[in-house]
Amino acid sequence: MAEQRNNEQDQRLAILNTLLTTPHRRLDLIWPVHQEMVQQDPLFYVRLAAWYSDNGDVRDHKEMFIINLVLSDFEGHRDAGLAMLRALPPYEVARVIDFIHGRKRRKRVRVPGKDKRQKAARVKMGTKRKGKDDDAEYKEIVEEFGLFRNVPRSVKTEVERYLREREADADWFDSTVLVARKHVKRLYALLHVKPDDRAQRILFEKDPPADSRLYALRQLARASSPTEQALAIVEHRVPYRVAATVIKQMTPTVLLALVEQMSPQEVINNLGSLKRRGALDNADIRASVEAKLEAAQDSERVSAFKAERAIEAAGASPELREKLEAVADTQIKAKGRITRPTAMFVDKSASMDQAIEIGKRIGAMISTVCESDLYVYAFDTMAYPVTPAGGDLADWERAFAGIKAGGATSCGVPLSYMIRAKQYVEQIVMVTDEGENNQPSFVVELGRYREALSADPSICIVRTPNSWDRVERQCRQQGYQVNVFHFTGDYYALPNLVPMLARPSKLELLMDIMAYPLPERRGA
């Protein structure tokens, strides 16, 4: 009976592990996984969906939870899914509907073979190629995406309510159409929802009324002076991405007006573009950008890792970099606090360059939320203590300086060091491909560690791409608690580790999820 309970818990933990992956809009890649989840444990699945909707970071999984719930016949699933659907922005609602309904796309692909022979002939004749696609042959293929199922009537009803709610507020409708015109238009057309007169003029007749922000956008395009453009941007709250498509020359006056209208997340997302347009070279605009970044620290709608990626994309100055790091730090802390003593082992054996990079980022991330001891070791057949001077990514980069991938692999050697130093922990995060080929082995040293320090640490393996499962299997054979997160190359998913490590135990996290309230469907 105990073994059966452990297997059930392992299944739920396996479900949590899959949420670390980010398929980048390839919903078809995670559809089978979610299908298996909802069939294995429908009661846990709906609670996990509600919890992840409020606490998760990966939009693809949020959308897939909704898709499975609205198609499910299990009691309570459909209403919960429709309530979550109502909270999505229009482009995500359209992605949910498109996946259920199915969609075909024509695509041109290069025909292999012939262009290679032509290239060889040109090389032989000494002629140069004029253009990238000269003489290349292409064929047209049809890509299919989605389930190709009828959209349930309840979903059509909910989307119609969703659209009517926006139609009733002209300003809300206009702002929605400004940033998601094609998605809103597709929802009307695909689900055969008749728009009201104002929506009809804006979306389908291209004759927006004079009081609409779409009409104002036309006036903005016709404005001749930067002052007129700036006034139009402020008056009608034109988003940066939209304005950039109609304004040919971004003057400092226009850029300042745009930044003032941007949300903190929009500033972070467009920081690289703003820098390329010279916005950060202007003192007034830079001050406005910095004010937005300070406001981002208190915003619940800002992504922690996007702030870190913005640092790289924008090549930010030291001052701006400090503010972006403060944003990332604040947002990660909001995900929870790690109160248990923790160790992190980073595999630096041959070909483990990616593990070292992952280790830096996880270290920078969890060190900001760790309120207890944190011991970090890089290892091959010996262990290298890593002691950063601070908690930001630059500090971790410096701490890992000189640690290069190379050598054989002994996953147990950091534990040998910890036994000798009497370093007590309650959880171990290990970044590795599990290609252990040297003694001491991890499972043997873990047994020695448990006995020597009277400890029972949980194990979290962050598995790099193209890995084995050797260490995991050995731990399970010995009855040790182990969870595996499959890292697929997407650093955006790493903040999902924090809630997993922040609970006193994985069982308590499962209990919190099972107690999470389900959203209620409005107007049902």
Side-chain angles (χ1 to χ4, degrees):
M1 184 65 70
E3 182 179 352
Q4 182 180 353
R5 284 197 298 270
N6 287 338
N7 287 338
E8 290 173 353
Q9 183 177 329
D10 285 346
Q11 288 176 352
R12 297 186 188 103
L13 291 173
I15 290 173
L16 293 176
N17 294 345
T18 64
L19 300 181
L20 189 66
T21 61
T22 307
H24 290 297
R25 301 189 179 186
R26 290 291 307 276
L27 296 182
D28 53 308
L29 297 179
I30 55 174
W31 163 254
V33 179
H34 278 257
Q35 269 284 285
E36 188 176 355
M37 292 184 203
V38 73
Q39 291 169 5
Q40 283 181 352
D41 197 337
L43 293 174
F44 177 68
Y45 185 83
V46 68
R47 298 285 174 176
L48 177 61
W51 176 85
Y52 195 82
S53 178
D54 292 336
N55 297 282
D57 288 310
V58 183
R59 288 190 296 262
D60 303 293
H61 284 293
K62 292 183 180 183
E63 293 164 11
M64 189 51 68
F65 274 121
I66 292 171
I67 290 166
N68 273 277
L69 290 175
V70 299
L71 295 179
S72 173
D73 293 327
F74 195 84
E75 185 177 355
H77 277 198
R78 186 164 296 184
D79 281 346
L82 292 172
M84 285 185 264
L85 179 72
R86 191 82 165 262
L88 294 181
Y91 78 94
E92 287 192 80
V93 176
R95 278 165 46 78
V96 168
I97 301 302
D98 271 342
F99 189 79
I100 296 172
H101 181 267
R103 194 167 187 176
K104 295 182 179 181
R105 184 182 69 168
R106 296 187 179 276
K107 183 179 179 181
R108 292 177 72 233
V109 297
R110 187 188 294 269
V111 178
K114 183 174 181 179
D115 52 328
K116 290 183 179 179
R117 292 193 297 271
Q118 291 171 338
K119 181 179 179 180
R122 284 194 300 271
V123 170
K124 186 176 180 180
M125 296 172 62
T127 58
K128 291 185 178 180
R129 192 171 185 173
K130 294 181 180 179
K132 183 177 179 181
D133 295 324
D134 287 356
D135 302 323
E137 276 200 358
Y138 290 85
K139 66 178 180 180
E140 193 174 75
I141 63 171
V142 178
E143 288 185 332
E144 293 188 350
F145 167 83
L147 302 177
F148 292 91
R149 294 177 55 171
N150 290 329
V151 177
R153 184 178 297 275
S154 59
V155 176
K156 292 181 179 179
T157 300
E158 198 67 30
V159 174
E160 183 171 359
R161 289 174 179 162
Y162 178 94
L163 294 172
R164 298 298 183 217
E165 187 177 17
R166 280 158 175 76
E167 287 177 351
D169 186 330
D171 189 59
W172 190 10
F173 183 82
D174 288 357
S175 62
T176 299
V177 173
L178 271 178
V179 296
R181 179 189 181 92
K182 69 175 183 179
H183 301 290
V184 175
K185 188 174 180 179
R186 179 161 177 78
L187 289 174
Y188 279 107
L190 186 62
L191 300 181
H192 304 289
V193 177
K194 184 178 179 180
D196 68 5
D197 292 340
R198 191 172 185 279
Q200 174 73 20
R201 289 181 62 185
I202 290 172
L203 290 174
F204 298 98
E205 295 179 2
K206 298 182 179 180
D207 179 29
D211 66 340
S212 71
R213 292 171 69 182
L214 279 297
Y215 183 86
L217 187 63
R218 290 185 177 182
Q219 302 305 111
L220 173 63
R222 295 169 184 164
S224 57
S225 72
T227 302
E228 290 175 343
Q229 292 173 337
L231 288 172
I233 289 167
V234 172
E235 182 180 356
H236 301 287
R237 301 188 305 282
V238 180
Y240 175 79
R241 287 187 303 164
V242 177
T245 64
V246 298
I247 299 177
K248 294 180 180 180
Q249 185 176 3
M250 291 283 191
T251 64
T253 303
V254 171
L255 282 170
L256 180 59
L258 285 170
V259 171
E260 291 293 338
Q261 303 306 312
M262 293 166 78
S263 68
Q265 184 66 73
E266 285 177 312
V267 170
I268 292 172
N269 292 348
N270 294 289
L271 200 56
S273 174
L274 288 170
K275 183 182 180 183
R276 288 192 297 273
R277 294 180 185 273
L280 302 184
D281 298 327
N282 181 286
D284 292 335
I285 301 174
R286 186 171 63 251
S288 182
V289 168
E290 290 175 353
K292 294 287 183 179
L293 295 180
E294 289 178 5
Q297 296 184 38
D298 300 322
S299 173
E300 296 180 356
R301 301 177 62 84
V302 173
S303 166
F305 199 77
K306 282 189 177 181
E308 293 184 1
R309 290 296 292 268
I311 298 172
E312 303 169 12
S317 65
E319 296 81 6
L320 204 58
R321 185 186 190 95
E322 185 177 340
K323 291 186 180 296
L324 284 166
E325 286 171 347
V327 172
D329 178 64
T330 303
Q331 294 303 321
I332 289 172
K333 284 179 178 177
K335 291 182 174 293
R337 298 283 182 164
I338 299 175
T339 57
R340 292 192 290 168
T342 303
M344 183 173 72
F345 303 158
V346 180
D347 191 342
K348 65 161 293 289
S349 59
S351 73
M352 283 289 98
D353 297 278
Q354 189 174 44
I356 295 172
E357 186 62 30
I358 297 168
K360 293 175 189 175
R361 294 180 180 274
I362 294 178
M365 182 176 67
I366 67 176
S367 63
T368 63
V369 295
C370 199
E371 296 180 344
S372 188
D373 294 326
L374 175 62
Y375 305 104
V376 181
Y377 290 90
F379 69 91
D380 43 36
T381 54
M382 65 177 287
Y384 300 77
V386 178
T387 53
D392 61 32
L393 187 57
D395 290 319
W396 283 84
E397 292 277 3
R398 287 190 288 269
F400 271 88
I403 293 177
K404 308 296 183 184
T409 309
S410 168
C411 295
V413 72
L415 282 168
S416 303
Y417 278 64
M418 292 181 67
I419 293 171
R420 185 173 180 178
K422 294 183 172 55
Q423 294 171 336
Y424 173 87
V425 296
E426 295 179 10
Q427 60 184 350
I428 297 171
V429 181
M430 182 162 59
V431 186
T432 180
D433 65 350
E434 300 187 58
E436 192 172 55
N437 53 25
N438 249 270
Q439 297 298 322
S441 71
F442 182 81
V443 71
V444 170
E445 289 305 286
L446 182 57
R448 289 186 58 233
Y449 180 84
R450 288 161 58 96
E451 183 177 348
L453 280 84
S454 300
D456 183 21
S458 60
I459 312 302
C460 171
I461 298 174
V462 179
R463 185 181 289 163
T464 58
N466 303 316
S467 297
W468 290 269
D469 62 352
R470 186 175 302 156
V471 176
E472 179 196 0
R473 282 188 288 105
Q474 291 173 351
C475 287
R476 294 194 187 282
Q477 287 168 3
Q478 295 298 319
Y480 299 147
Q481 181 184 348
V482 59
N483 302 296
V484 179
F485 295 91
H486 298 269
F487 180 78
T488 59
D490 189 353
Y491 293 101
Y492 279 98
L494 289 179
N496 287 332
L497 276 172
V498 174
M500 311 300 179
L501 301 175
R503 299 301 194 276
S505 70
K506 296 298 185 293
L507 177 59
E508 186 161 324
L509 174 58
L510 295 177
M511 292 169 65
D512 286 351
I513 291 172
M514 282 303 296
Y516 205 81
L518 296 179
E520 295 184 3
R521 184 182 175 194
R522 286 180 290 161

